[in-house]
Amino acid sequence: MAYDWADTDRTDALDFVMVSPQNLEIELGTLDGVIRSSSSLSAAYYTDTRTSGKLAYVGDGWIRNSFIRIVHRIPEWGFRRDLGTYIVTEDPGTREAGQWTRSLTLHSVLHGLATDLGTGPWTVSKGASAKAAIKQMLETCRRPMRDLSARDVRVGSPIVYETGTSFLERLFDLCTVTNNRMDVNGRGYVTVAPYIEPSRKSAAFRLDLADSRGLVEDGVELSTNYLEMPGRVVVSYQYSERENNESAQKEINAAADAKGEQSSATRGYMVTEFEHLSEMEPATYQRALELARQKLAEKSKEQVEWKIKSLYLPIWEGDVVELYVHDGPSRYRGMRHCLVKNVELELEHMTMTLTLKETASGDDE
Amino acid sequence: MMDEYTLASKIFGSNRSEAGKQSRNISMVTGTAVEDSSNGLVKVDIGGNVTGDEPYVYVPTGPSVKAGDTVQVQLAGPVAKTPFVANVAGWGDRIASVAEQAEAVAEEAKEAAEGAGTQYFWQNDSDAETYGGAGVHVTNDRKDDWVEAVADDFSDLSDNHPYHNILINSLGILLRRALNNLVTITRNAIAFYDGEGNAASNVVATFGASGAQIGKSTSQHAVVDANGLAVYNGDGTIARVNSVDVVAVKTASDEASTLLDGMRTAAESAGTTLNGIYKDAEDAKESATQAIEDATSASESAIAAANAASEAKEMAATANENAASASTSAAQAAQSANAALTNLAITQDVVDALGQDVDDLQTHVAMMNDGLYVVPMNGGYYVVLSNTSMQVRDSLGNVVAEYGEGFRLGRLDGTHMEATGSKLSFISSDGSEVAYIEVDPNTGESLFYMTRAVVVRDLRFGHWKWADRENGNLALKWMGATS
C-alpha cells in the first residue's frame, strides 16, 4: 500500500516496549514517561553496530537488562514499523525537583557481538561451510541468525580466528569471505544477506528538492572530496635481504600517476599520497606498481555526499534513494542515485537528517 | 563506458568497505599434533571451536612432526589467519641429536681415515709361516716392523693394533688381521672368517658359484644351493625347505589365517554387542538424567504451587475474616430488613410469589457468549440479542428471522427474503436469487428485477395492461387516462 508521507496530518505514535533479552518475541511491558524531545535514533551504513540511539524517561520504569523496542505506528493508516530493538549500554540518572530522569544509551544487538570475545581460537577447516561457521558463531552468542538467502562458500584453506578476537570481528570477516552483509533488523534479529553493491540497488524513494509539497526541508548540504583526490600514489616497500651472509636493506618504490582532472597537468600542482607497505609478495617493482595503480583507482572515485533534512520516511541505512537536484553546480544536477549512509531520527517531531552518498562513489567509507 | 579507474577496480577486486580494513599481522598459538605429518600437512588440535567434519585441522607444516608433538602454529593474516606449523617443541633437540650422531659417525670415519695413515706395499716370495703366504702385502708398518710386531705380540689383537693387512696373490685377495683371514676372495668363492684362525671351522659364511652358506659348519647354519634352502644343526639337517615344503607351510598358514579371521569376527561381534549394551546404558543414563531434570522441575513447580497455596490460604483466611464480618453485617441488615418487612406488613406469601417470578425471569433470560437469550417459559420460538443483530430462532435453534443493518425473513436453507441498505432480495431454497429490488446506479431509480415470473392474471404498465383472455389469447389493453 502506498502511503502519502508528505501528509503531516497523520498521527505518529511511538511505543517503547521492553523485550526479553532471551526471546525477542516476549514483551515485558511498555516503558512510560519517555521524553521524546530528548530521544533520538541513528543508523549508519559504515559502522559496526549499524544503529544506536538515546532515550530519556521519567521515573523508574525500565526493567533492568531488558531490551527496548521502539515501534512507530500511524493508527489511521494501520501502519506499524519496528524502528529498532536495542541493548541498553548506559543508564545514568539525574534528580531534579524531586524527579528522577534516566538517560539510556542504546546500541543494536551487534554491540553484544562486539563485547563477546572468543575464549579460544575458532577454526574453519578446509572444505567446511563458511555460512555454517557464521550460524554456529551466532548460536554461541545466543543470537539466532536470520538467513536472508545468504551466500555460502567452502573454505579453500583452513582459517583460524585467534583467542580474544570479538565475534563481531570474526563474523564480519566471514561475511566478507562469503560476500554477504551482516545487519540487524528492526525486531532485533541479526540478518545475513547477500552483499549487493549500492549502485546495483533500486531506489526505495524519490526525493525532489523542488517539490513544494515535498518531504525535504530547505537547507541542503553538498560535499565532495575532488580537491583532495591524489594525482599520484606512491607505494614504498622496505625490506632486508641476505646477500653473502650479510643483511642488506632494500627499498622498492613505484608511482602511479592519475590523468584528467586530478592530474598535476590540470591542477598545476601535484597531490601525492605515500603508502608504506609492511609486507609485499612478491617483492618486485611490478607488484609495487600494480598496488600503486590499484590504490590510485580506489582513491580516484569522487566521494559526493548530500545532507538533507526530511520528514519521517520509512528508510534506513543501506537503502537507496533517488535525489532530484534542479539547481546548483551543473555537474551535480539531475537525478542522483544515493545510498542512505547515515540517518538521524529525532523522535519528538519525527524528522530525519539524512546523509546520502552517491553510489557512483563506490562502497568505501 | 568504464573509465580506467573503474576498470582497475574491477581487475583488482571489490573496494567494499568491510574488506581488508586491517593490516596483516603474525602471531603464534600452540597445538598438539594428532598424527605424524605427511605430504607437508599435519593434523593438529589447536583447541577452541572447529567448524568442519572433525575437531582437528590439517595445517601445512615446515618441520617434520610426530603424533603427540607440541607444535607452534604461526597465524598470519589480518583477521582470518592462515595457520602454518613453524616449529615443533623439542625439534631443536631432535635435530641436535641427529647431528651429534652424524658428527660421531663422521668422527669415526675421520679417525679411520687417519688411522689408515701411511700404507706400505711390499712383496715376499715365500716364508708362509712368517707372512702367511707369498704375494703383495699392504700393511700400515714397514715390512720388518710389521713382521716383528706380529711375531712379538700376536696375542694382542686389540682393534687399534696395526695388524690389519691385505695379501694379494694369484690365488686371490685376503683381508686379514695379522695372519688370520677376515675375508678371502678367491676364484671359487668369497669367504668370511671369524678372525680366530684359518681352518674350515673358522669360516662363518661363503658365497660361491655352487651355493652359499651362512653360519659355521660346526653350529647352526643355512645353505642355499641348487636343491633349495636348507637349515642345519652342527650335527645334521634339522629342517629343509623346498618348494613342496613351502606349499605345505602356506596351506597351514592359510588355515591359521582363516581361524584367526573367525576369531576376529567373533571378537568384532562381541564388540558390537558391547557397543549396543554401552549405547543402551548411555540412553538409560540420558533418560535418568532427563527424569531427574523433570523431577527437579516438578519439585520446583510443586514448591511454587505450595507457595501459591500458602498465599492463597492466607488470602482465604483474610477473605474468611471479611466474610465473617460481612455475615455479621448481613445478619444485622437482615434483622433490619425483617423489622422493615414487619413494619410494612408484607406477608411472606407475597415475597415468595415475587421470588418465584424473579426465578422464572432468570430462567428464561440468560446472557450467553453470543448475546442475550430471551426464551418463552414454555419453549418454542425465542429471541437472541447481540451487538450486531436480533435473531428469532425456532425451538431447534434455526434462525428464522434476523434484524441488523438489514434483515432476513425465513430460514437460510428455505425460501427467504433478505434486505440490505440498498437491496431487497427474494431467495429460493437452493440459494439462488429469484428477484430483488435495487437502485439503478445510472438512473437512480429503484427497480424490481425478476429472474423468472408467472403473472397469474394480468400485468400492468401505467395505463396499459397485458391480460390473459378467456379465449386463451393475450391482450394489450388501454386502461384509460385516469385508471
mmCIF file with all atom_site columns, all heavy atoms in Angstrom, chain B residues 173-189:
data_model
loop_
_atom_site.group_PDB
_atom_site.id
_atom_site.type_symbol
_atom_site.label_atom_id
_atom_site.label_alt_id
_atom_site.label_comp_id
_atom_site.label_asym_id
_atom_site.label_entity_id
_atom_site.label_seq_id
_atom_site.pdbx_PDB_ins_code
_atom_site.Cartn_x
_atom_site.Cartn_y
_atom_site.Cartn_z
_atom_site.occupancy
_atom_site.B_iso_or_equiv
_atom_site.pdbx_formal_charge
_atom_site.auth_seq_id
_atom_site.auth_comp_id
_atom_site.auth_asym_id
_atom_site.auth_atom_id
_atom_site.pdbx_PDB_model_num
ATOM 1   N N   . ILE B 1 173 ? 92.549  -62.543 -2.975  1.00 0.00 ? 173 ILE B N   1
ATOM 2   C CA  . ILE B 1 173 ? 92.836  -61.393 -2.109  1.00 0.00 ? 173 ILE B CA  1
ATOM 3   C C   . ILE B 1 173 ? 92.406  -61.774 -0.702  1.00 0.00 ? 173 ILE B C   1
ATOM 4   O O   . ILE B 1 173 ? 91.286  -62.255 -0.492  1.00 0.00 ? 173 ILE B O   1
ATOM 5   C CB  . ILE B 1 173 ? 92.043  -60.162 -2.566  1.00 0.00 ? 173 ILE B CB  1
ATOM 6   C CG1 . ILE B 1 173 ? 92.420  -59.823 -4.010  1.00 0.00 ? 173 ILE B CG1 1
ATOM 7   C CG2 . ILE B 1 173 ? 92.294  -58.967 -1.651  1.00 0.00 ? 173 ILE B CG2 1
ATOM 8   C CD1 . ILE B 1 173 ? 91.533  -58.775 -4.634  1.00 0.00 ? 173 ILE B CD1 1
ATOM 9   N N   . LEU B 1 174 ? 93.273  -61.527 0.263   1.00 0.00 ? 174 LEU B N   1
ATOM 10  C CA  . LEU B 1 174 ? 92.960  -61.861 1.642   1.00 0.00 ? 174 LEU B CA  1
ATOM 11  C C   . LEU B 1 174 ? 92.973  -60.571 2.475   1.00 0.00 ? 174 LEU B C   1
ATOM 12  O O   . LEU B 1 174 ? 93.964  -59.842 2.470   1.00 0.00 ? 174 LEU B O   1
ATOM 13  C CB  . LEU B 1 174 ? 94.003  -62.843 2.212   1.00 0.00 ? 174 LEU B CB  1
ATOM 14  C CG  . LEU B 1 174 ? 94.284  -64.107 1.415   1.00 0.00 ? 174 LEU B CG  1
ATOM 15  C CD1 . LEU B 1 174 ? 95.318  -64.973 2.156   1.00 0.00 ? 174 LEU B CD1 1
ATOM 16  C CD2 . LEU B 1 174 ? 93.027  -64.928 1.193   1.00 0.00 ? 174 LEU B CD2 1
ATOM 17  N N   . LEU B 1 175 ? 91.898  -60.332 3.160   1.00 0.00 ? 175 LEU B N   1
ATOM 18  C CA  . LEU B 1 175 ? 91.876  -59.246 4.142   1.00 0.00 ? 175 LEU B CA  1
ATOM 19  C C   . LEU B 1 175 ? 92.105  -59.936 5.482   1.00 0.00 ? 175 LEU B C   1
ATOM 20  O O   . LEU B 1 175 ? 91.330  -60.831 5.861   1.00 0.00 ? 175 LEU B O   1
ATOM 21  C CB  . LEU B 1 175 ? 90.533  -58.515 4.124   1.00 0.00 ? 175 LEU B CB  1
ATOM 22  C CG  . LEU B 1 175 ? 90.061  -57.996 2.765   1.00 0.00 ? 175 LEU B CG  1
ATOM 23  C CD1 . LEU B 1 175 ? 88.706  -57.291 2.917   1.00 0.00 ? 175 LEU B CD1 1
ATOM 24  C CD2 . LEU B 1 175 ? 91.068  -57.024 2.188   1.00 0.00 ? 175 LEU B CD2 1
ATOM 25  N N   . ARG B 1 176 ? 93.083  -59.485 6.209   1.00 0.00 ? 176 ARG B N   1
ATOM 26  C CA  . ARG B 1 176 ? 93.486  -60.282 7.371   1.00 0.00 ? 176 ARG B CA  1
ATOM 27  C C   . ARG B 1 176 ? 93.688  -59.417 8.613   1.00 0.00 ? 176 ARG B C   1
ATOM 28  O O   . ARG B 1 176 ? 93.911  -58.217 8.543   1.00 0.00 ? 176 ARG B O   1
ATOM 29  C CB  . ARG B 1 176 ? 94.803  -61.007 7.073   1.00 0.00 ? 176 ARG B CB  1
ATOM 30  C CG  . ARG B 1 176 ? 94.806  -61.796 5.752   1.00 0.00 ? 176 ARG B CG  1
ATOM 31  C CD  . ARG B 1 176 ? 96.003  -62.662 5.620   1.00 0.00 ? 176 ARG B CD  1
ATOM 32  N NE  . ARG B 1 176 ? 97.258  -61.892 5.652   1.00 0.00 ? 176 ARG B NE  1
ATOM 33  C CZ  . ARG B 1 176 ? 98.476  -62.446 5.511   1.00 0.00 ? 176 ARG B CZ  1
ATOM 34  N NH1 . ARG B 1 176 ? 98.585  -63.768 5.355   1.00 0.00 ? 176 ARG B NH1 1
ATOM 35  N NH2 . ARG B 1 176 ? 99.561  -61.716 5.546   1.00 0.00 ? 176 ARG B NH2 1
ATOM 36  N N   . ARG B 1 177 ? 93.614  -60.065 9.728   1.00 0.00 ? 177 ARG B N   1
ATOM 37  C CA  . ARG B 1 177 ? 94.088  -59.475 10.983  1.00 0.00 ? 177 ARG B CA  1
ATOM 38  C C   . ARG B 1 177 ? 95.334  -60.301 11.327  1.00 0.00 ? 177 ARG B C   1
ATOM 39  O O   . ARG B 1 177 ? 95.219  -61.491 11.617  1.00 0.00 ? 177 ARG B O   1
ATOM 40  C CB  . ARG B 1 177 ? 93.036  -59.606 12.060  1.00 0.00 ? 177 ARG B CB  1
ATOM 41  C CG  . ARG B 1 177 ? 93.552  -59.204 13.428  1.00 0.00 ? 177 ARG B CG  1
ATOM 42  C CD  . ARG B 1 177 ? 92.500  -59.417 14.487  1.00 0.00 ? 177 ARG B CD  1
ATOM 43  N NE  . ARG B 1 177 ? 91.427  -58.452 14.352  1.00 0.00 ? 177 ARG B NE  1
ATOM 44  C CZ  . ARG B 1 177 ? 90.287  -58.537 15.018  1.00 0.00 ? 177 ARG B CZ  1
ATOM 45  N NH1 . ARG B 1 177 ? 90.084  -59.563 15.815  1.00 0.00 ? 177 ARG B NH1 1
ATOM 46  N NH2 . ARG B 1 177 ? 89.360  -57.630 14.865  1.00 0.00 ? 177 ARG B NH2 1
ATOM 47  N N   . ALA B 1 178 ? 96.478  -59.672 11.354  1.00 0.00 ? 178 ALA B N   1
ATOM 48  C CA  . ALA B 1 178 ? 97.765  -60.394 11.455  1.00 0.00 ? 178 ALA B CA  1
ATOM 49  C C   . ALA B 1 178 ? 97.802  -61.473 10.358  1.00 0.00 ? 178 ALA B C   1
ATOM 50  O O   . ALA B 1 178 ? 97.608  -61.129 9.192   1.00 0.00 ? 178 ALA B O   1
ATOM 51  C CB  . ALA B 1 178 ? 97.956  -60.968 12.840  1.00 0.00 ? 178 ALA B CB  1
ATOM 52  N N   . LEU B 1 179 ? 97.881  -62.726 10.774  1.00 0.00 ? 179 LEU B N   1
ATOM 53  C CA  . LEU B 1 179 ? 97.952  -63.767 9.739   1.00 0.00 ? 179 LEU B CA  1
ATOM 54  C C   . LEU B 1 179 ? 96.610  -64.481 9.588   1.00 0.00 ? 179 LEU B C   1
ATOM 55  O O   . LEU B 1 179 ? 96.498  -65.408 8.778   1.00 0.00 ? 179 LEU B O   1
ATOM 56  C CB  . LEU B 1 179 ? 99.049  -64.778 10.094  1.00 0.00 ? 179 LEU B CB  1
ATOM 57  C CG  . LEU B 1 179 ? 100.448 -64.176 10.246  1.00 0.00 ? 179 LEU B CG  1
ATOM 58  C CD1 . LEU B 1 179 ? 101.471 -65.276 10.573  1.00 0.00 ? 179 LEU B CD1 1
ATOM 59  C CD2 . LEU B 1 179 ? 100.868 -63.463 8.969   1.00 0.00 ? 179 LEU B CD2 1
ATOM 60  N N   . ASN B 1 180 ? 95.601  -64.062 10.401  1.00 0.00 ? 180 ASN B N   1
ATOM 61  C CA  . ASN B 1 180 ? 94.301  -64.730 10.320  1.00 0.00 ? 180 ASN B CA  1
ATOM 62  C C   . ASN B 1 180 ? 93.401  -64.010 9.302   1.00 0.00 ? 180 ASN B C   1
ATOM 63  O O   . ASN B 1 180 ? 93.281  -62.776 9.311   1.00 0.00 ? 180 ASN B O   1
ATOM 64  C CB  . ASN B 1 180 ? 93.601  -64.696 11.672  1.00 0.00 ? 180 ASN B CB  1
ATOM 65  C CG  . ASN B 1 180 ? 94.328  -65.579 12.695  1.00 0.00 ? 180 ASN B CG  1
ATOM 66  O OD1 . ASN B 1 180 ? 95.122  -66.446 12.312  1.00 0.00 ? 180 ASN B OD1 1
ATOM 67  N ND2 . ASN B 1 180 ? 94.061  -65.334 13.963  1.00 0.00 ? 180 ASN B ND2 1
ATOM 68  N N   . ASN B 1 181 ? 92.774  -64.848 8.475   1.00 0.00 ? 181 ASN B N   1
ATOM 69  C CA  . ASN B 1 181 ? 91.896  -64.286 7.446   1.00 0.00 ? 181 ASN B CA  1
ATOM 70  C C   . ASN B 1 181 ? 90.638  -63.647 8.083   1.00 0.00 ? 181 ASN B C   1
ATOM 71  O O   . ASN B 1 181 ? 90.093  -64.163 9.061   1.00 0.00 ? 181 ASN B O   1
ATOM 72  C CB  . ASN B 1 181 ? 91.437  -65.375 6.482   1.00 0.00 ? 181 ASN B CB  1
ATOM 73  C CG  . ASN B 1 181 ? 92.580  -65.933 5.674   1.00 0.00 ? 181 ASN B CG  1
ATOM 74  O OD1 . ASN B 1 181 ? 93.587  -65.248 5.493   1.00 0.00 ? 181 ASN B OD1 1
ATOM 75  N ND2 . ASN B 1 181 ? 92.443  -67.170 5.212   1.00 0.00 ? 181 ASN B ND2 1
ATOM 76  N N   . LEU B 1 182 ? 90.211  -62.556 7.465   1.00 0.00 ? 182 LEU B N   1
ATOM 77  C CA  . LEU B 1 182 ? 88.895  -61.995 7.771   1.00 0.00 ? 182 LEU B CA  1
ATOM 78  C C   . LEU B 1 182 ? 87.955  -62.187 6.584   1.00 0.00 ? 182 LEU B C   1
ATOM 79  O O   . LEU B 1 182 ? 86.841  -62.669 6.727   1.00 0.00 ? 182 LEU B O   1
ATOM 80  C CB  . LEU B 1 182 ? 89.004  -60.495 8.095   1.00 0.00 ? 182 LEU B CB  1
ATOM 81  C CG  . LEU B 1 182 ? 89.739  -60.165 9.390   1.00 0.00 ? 182 LEU B CG  1
ATOM 82  C CD1 . LEU B 1 182 ? 89.924  -58.657 9.519   1.00 0.00 ? 182 LEU B CD1 1
ATOM 83  C CD2 . LEU B 1 182 ? 88.984  -60.693 10.595  1.00 0.00 ? 182 LEU B CD2 1
ATOM 84  N N   . VAL B 1 183 ? 88.456  -61.820 5.431   1.00 0.00 ? 183 VAL B N   1
ATOM 85  C CA  . VAL B 1 183 ? 87.686  -62.038 4.195   1.00 0.00 ? 183 VAL B CA  1
ATOM 86  C C   . VAL B 1 183 ? 88.655  -62.551 3.139   1.00 0.00 ? 183 VAL B C   1
ATOM 87  O O   . VAL B 1 183 ? 89.755  -61.999 2.988   1.00 0.00 ? 183 VAL B O   1
ATOM 88  C CB  . VAL B 1 183 ? 87.041  -60.726 3.678   1.00 0.00 ? 183 VAL B CB  1
ATOM 89  C CG1 . VAL B 1 183 ? 86.261  -61.003 2.390   1.00 0.00 ? 183 VAL B CG1 1
ATOM 90  C CG2 . VAL B 1 183 ? 86.125  -60.121 4.726   1.00 0.00 ? 183 VAL B CG2 1
ATOM 91  N N   . THR B 1 184 ? 88.254  -63.606 2.446   1.00 0.00 ? 184 THR B N   1
ATOM 92  C CA  . THR B 1 184 ? 89.080  -64.088 1.344   1.00 0.00 ? 184 THR B CA  1
ATOM 93  C C   . THR B 1 184 ? 88.258  -64.059 0.073   1.00 0.00 ? 184 THR B C   1
ATOM 94  O O   . THR B 1 184 ? 87.085  -64.464 0.059   1.00 0.00 ? 184 THR B O   1
ATOM 95  C CB  . THR B 1 184 ? 89.559  -65.540 1.593   1.00 0.00 ? 184 THR B CB  1
ATOM 96  O OG1 . THR B 1 184 ? 88.421  -66.380 1.648   1.00 0.00 ? 184 THR B OG1 1
ATOM 97  C CG2 . THR B 1 184 ? 90.351  -65.625 2.887   1.00 0.00 ? 184 THR B CG2 1
ATOM 98  N N   . ILE B 1 185 ? 88.890  -63.552 -0.945  1.00 0.00 ? 185 ILE B N   1
ATOM 99  C CA  . ILE B 1 185 ? 88.234  -63.530 -2.258  1.00 0.00 ? 185 ILE B CA  1
ATOM 100 C C   . ILE B 1 185 ? 89.095  -64.387 -3.175  1.00 0.00 ? 185 ILE B C   1
ATOM 101 O O   . ILE B 1 185 ? 90.239  -64.022 -3.488  1.00 0.00 ? 185 ILE B O   1
ATOM 102 C CB  . ILE B 1 185 ? 88.123  -62.095 -2.797  1.00 0.00 ? 185 ILE B CB  1
ATOM 103 C CG1 . ILE B 1 185 ? 87.378  -61.202 -1.794  1.00 0.00 ? 185 ILE B CG1 1
ATOM 104 C CG2 . ILE B 1 185 ? 87.417  -62.081 -4.153  1.00 0.00 ? 185 ILE B CG2 1
ATOM 105 C CD1 . ILE B 1 185 ? 87.380  -59.733 -2.169  1.00 0.00 ? 185 ILE B CD1 1
ATOM 106 N N   . THR B 1 186 ? 88.562  -65.535 -3.541  1.00 0.00 ? 186 THR B N   1
ATOM 107 C CA  . THR B 1 186 ? 89.321  -66.465 -4.378  1.00 0.00 ? 186 THR B CA  1
ATOM 108 C C   . THR B 1 186 ? 88.537  -66.722 -5.650  1.00 0.00 ? 186 THR B C   1
ATOM 109 O O   . THR B 1 186 ? 87.446  -66.193 -5.852  1.00 0.00 ? 186 THR B O   1
ATOM 110 C CB  . THR B 1 186 ? 89.549  -67.801 -3.642  1.00 0.00 ? 186 THR B CB  1
ATOM 111 O OG1 . THR B 1 186 ? 88.278  -68.374 -3.370  1.00 0.00 ? 186 THR B OG1 1
ATOM 112 C CG2 . THR B 1 186 ? 90.314  -67.568 -2.333  1.00 0.00 ? 186 THR B CG2 1
ATOM 113 N N   . ARG B 1 187 ? 89.071  -67.579 -6.447  1.00 0.00 ? 187 ARG B N   1
ATOM 114 C CA  . ARG B 1 187 ? 88.453  -67.863 -7.737  1.00 0.00 ? 187 ARG B CA  1
ATOM 115 C C   . ARG B 1 187 ? 87.083  -68.502 -7.560  1.00 0.00 ? 187 ARG B C   1
ATOM 116 O O   . ARG B 1 187 ? 86.160  -68.269 -8.321  1.00 0.00 ? 187 ARG B O   1
ATOM 117 C CB  . ARG B 1 187 ? 89.396  -68.796 -8.530  1.00 0.00 ? 187 ARG B CB  1
ATOM 118 C CG  . ARG B 1 187 ? 88.951  -69.099 -9.931  1.00 0.00 ? 187 ARG B CG  1
ATOM 119 C CD  . ARG B 1 187 ? 90.002  -69.897 -10.634 1.00 0.00 ? 187 ARG B CD  1
ATOM 120 N NE  . ARG B 1 187 ? 90.403  -71.070 -9.850  1.00 0.00 ? 187 ARG B NE  1
ATOM 121 C CZ  . ARG B 1 187 ? 91.438  -71.851 -10.147 1.00 0.00 ? 187 ARG B CZ  1
ATOM 122 N NH1 . ARG B 1 187 ? 92.213  -71.550 -11.172 1.00 0.00 ? 187 ARG B NH1 1
ATOM 123 N NH2 . ARG B 1 187 ? 91.749  -72.904 -9.432  1.00 0.00 ? 187 ARG B NH2 1
ATOM 124 N N   . ASN B 1 188 ? 86.918  -69.325 -6.503  1.00 0.00 ? 188 ASN B N   1
ATOM 125 C CA  . ASN B 1 188 ? 85.674  -70.077 -6.348  1.00 0.00 ? 188 ASN B CA  1
ATOM 126 C C   . ASN B 1 188 ? 84.624  -69.360 -5.494  1.00 0.00 ? 188 ASN B C   1
ATOM 127 O O   . ASN B 1 188 ? 83.432  -69.568 -5.679  1.00 0.00 ? 188 ASN B O   1
ATOM 128 C CB  . ASN B 1 188 ? 85.971  -71.431 -5.710  1.00 0.00 ? 188 ASN B CB  1
ATOM 129 C CG  . ASN B 1 188 ? 86.833  -72.267 -6.622  1.00 0.00 ? 188 ASN B CG  1
ATOM 130 O OD1 . ASN B 1 188 ? 86.672  -72.214 -7.843  1.00 0.00 ? 188 ASN B OD1 1
ATOM 131 N ND2 . ASN B 1 188 ? 87.776  -72.993 -6.045  1.00 0.00 ? 188 ASN B ND2 1
ATOM 132 N N   . ALA B 1 189 ? 85.121  -68.606 -4.540  1.00 0.00 ? 189 ALA B N   1
ATOM 133 C CA  . ALA B 1 189 ? 84.132  -68.062 -3.590  1.00 0.00 ? 189 ALA B CA  1
ATOM 134 C C   . ALA B 1 189 ? 84.696  -66.881 -2.810  1.00 0.00 ? 189 ALA B C   1
ATOM 135 O O   . ALA B 1 189 ? 85.900  -66.635 -2.809  1.00 0.00 ? 189 ALA B O   1
ATOM 136 C CB  . ALA B 1 189 ? 83.697  -69.150 -2.614  1.00 0.00 ? 189 ALA B CB  1
#
